Amino acid sequence: MNKTLRKAVIAGNWKMNMTPSQTTALINEMKPLVADADCEVVLCVPFVDIAAAIEAAKGSNIKIGAENVHFKASGAFTGEISADMLKETGVEYVVVGHSERRQYFGETDQTVNLRSLAAIKAGLKPIICVGETLEQRELGYTETLLKYQTKMALTNVSAEELKNVVIAYEPVWAIGTGVTATADQADEGNGYVRAAIAEAYGADVAETVTIQYGGSMNAANAAELVSKVNVDGGLIGGASLKAADFSIIVKAASEQK
Ligand code: PEP
């Protein structure tokens, strides 16, 4: 295990929060606080906030991402946004398969795979979310499920393309609930994801893939979570809407080497 083989990524997921003007204000507040980061800093924002976010982040170390992408290139898909459309806005990252999309919008392992492939083809970096529900954990299926979701999401993704993919292990029971996985649970879950990648691509490749933890990560618990060998940063919901809290998480990841 060698953490220096991969880059830590701290990514905010704003969910359905912030108007364009609020976006400008929050990023302006964040910029000086994260300017010294020694990790990748990303903010994934609602589609309508992308232009404001790109403009506000210009000249800084903050990268902008979207929160979803459709898998078709174009056509009769009212309300959807394609990977090429996103690419042209200047976003670098896109969240794919967040559990809220799986839960409320019918996202499946197959569509997560198709969206990931579309993002990669357009030159975007997908942050692919996987994670078990509390029921699945209690039934003892966490490892099986995480490996299955990971391999399904990466179907037809080459080892070369994997260099631009981030996986986020997000236990569903920890998202937006205030209940965080323990650092050991996070490390174990991320380890299952890494093992699945090793089974599919080999151990050397798996060592290079950035695997985040997500689920109620905050200013108080981030340092312990990111200290774990398999935890390469985090996907942050609620705490990414507060400049001070988010910058503390970025600092915690920056100090991990
Ligand atoms: C998320 O939205 O991916 C997330 C982890 O949310 P929160 O940090 O609020 O639990």
Side-chain angles (χ1 to χ4, degrees), residues 6-239:
R6 47 199 185 253
K7 155 183 76 171
V9 179
I10 294 292
N13 171 26
W14 284 4
K15 313 194 190 209
M16 195 173 73
N17 292 294
M18 311 304 280
T19 65
S21 61
Q22 291 169 335
T23 296
T24 304
L26 182 55
I27 293 180
N28 282 337
E29 194 185 345
M30 278 181 181
K31 277 194 291 192
L33 302 180
V34 301
D36 296 334
D38 192 10
C39 65
E40 186 94 328
V41 182
V42 184
L43 292 173
C44 298
V45 306
F47 291 132
V48 295
D49 295 334
I50 288 173
I54 299 248
E55 182 59 30
K58 224 177 240 169
S60 79
N61 58 333
I62 299 177
K63 312 274 175 64
I64 303 303
E67 296 180 12
N68 191 23
V69 60
H70 194 58
F71 43 84
K72 293 284 189 183
S74 63
F77 301 100
T78 304
E80 293 293 328
I81 307 284
S82 76
D84 283 343
M85 291 175 191
L86 284 179
K87 182 70 182 169
E88 205 172 306
T89 67
V91 299
E92 221 175 281
Y93 287 85
V94 60
V95 178
V96 175
H98 192 280
S99 66
E100 287 153 14
R101 296 220 56 93
R102 293 179 190 254
Q103 192 178 346
Y104 305 129
F105 301 100
E107 198 75 64
T108 65
D109 291 314
Q110 194 196 8
T111 56
V112 170
N113 173 236
L114 294 175
R115 288 178 207 270
S116 301
L117 291 169
I120 292 166
K121 189 167 166 225
L124 299 169
K125 298 172 183 168
I127 299 175
I128 303 172
C129 303
V130 297
E132 82 287 1
T133 62
L134 188 57
E135 187 186 19
Q136 289 161 339
R137 171 167 283 266
E138 286 174 349
L139 287 169
Y141 292 137
T142 302
E143 178 176 1
T144 308
L145 189 96
L146 289 179
K147 287 186 167 179
Y148 176 78
Q149 286 186 340
T150 302
K151 287 180 184 173
M152 278 291 287
L154 297 177
T155 302
N156 295 324
V157 174
S158 70
E160 189 56 29
E161 289 167 334
L162 196 56
K163 289 178 183 160
N164 288 319
V165 172
V166 172
I167 311 278
Y169 165 51
E170 298 209 305
V172 178
W173 46 271
I175 298 177
T177 58
V179 180
T180 315
T182 64
D184 286 338
Q185 284 173 323
D187 196 43
E188 183 181 61
N190 283 31
Y192 293 147
V193 172
R194 201 174 304 286
I197 297 171
E199 285 165 18
Y201 296 88
D204 287 353
V205 171
E207 281 295 295
T208 65
V209 177
T210 297
I211 305 174
Q212 302 172 311
Y213 165 78
S216 300
M217 193 188 274
N218 58 40
N221 61 27
E224 193 188 353
L225 287 163
V226 299
S227 73
K228 291 294 176 180
V229 71
N230 272 308
V231 180
D232 311 315
L235 185 56
I236 325 292

